[in-house]
Amino acid sequence: MSQANWDERYGATDRVWSGAPNPWLVEVAESLVPGSALDVGCGEGADAIWLAGHGWATTAVDFSPVALSRARSAAGDVSVRWEQRDLATWVPDRRFDLVSVQFFHAEPAVREAVHRAAWQATAGVLLVVGHDLAHPGPPPEEVRYGVSDIVAALPGAEIVRAETRERPRDAAPPAVDAVVVARRRG
Ligand SMILES: C[S@@+](CC[C@H](N)C(=O)[O-])C[C@H]1O[C@@H](n2cnc3c(N)ncnc32)[C@H](O)[C@@H]1O
């Protein structure tokens, strides 16, 4: 989807996502000592706000000004560095202790480039989560991906977890998530 499409989607309703942080991010971040963090494709900002509220010096990037404006409002006094950027052309110029990419779904070449760039931006731990090929529901199958697709975009990375995990949802069958954690040592 283009930036205009995402702006339209965000603008059509008061809130698209739950406002709660993604559970696999909370699980991973709680096992680490807080440092710097980057949220790639942050949407309405729930993950970035949670990270910043738990001691992480957080930068959050999305190309949708509508989503970023909503995220800024939701953050209130919580300090997050919000950046508007098209990740399709992202060349990282610094590294973060924790990089999180949650549900970035785009045409495969763009998604692979973003996952690769996210690894280049990682000084410590990279968490990538996506709707798995077996996920029941949107996004369409052609932009879903599995753990092997994520791992293939991270050549040279030390993969510490690569799992397909079910996530319970209210009034819907469980979501099926592809979850990969990679680590850069030293
Ligand atoms: C499915 S949402 C996920 C939002 C958030 N990570 C979450 O889990 O709630 C995907 C987000 O990626 C953003 N996005 C998609 N393509 C992008 C691109 N090329 N550059 C920057 N952001 C993009 C969209 O605006 C949207 O906010």
Side-chain angles (χ1 to χ4, degrees), residues 136-171:
E141 191 173 354
E142 59 268 24
V143 295
R144 297 203 297 260
Y145 47 89
V147 291
S148 59
D149 300 305
I150 302 171
V151 169
L154 312 176
E158 178 190 351
I159 305 297
V160 293
R161 266 172 54 186
E163 302 168 332
T164 306
R165 296 183 68 173
E166 288 198 351
R167 177 169 42 86
R169 296 185 293 181
D170 292 339

Side-chain angles (χ1 to χ4, degrees), residues 6 10 17 22 41-43 62-63 85-88 102-104:
W6 275 107
Y10 282 117
W17 312 116
N22 284 302
C42 63
D62 204 286
F63 67 0
R85 179 200 297 269
D86 185 350
L87 290 159
Q102 301 277 331
F103 306 107
F104 186 90

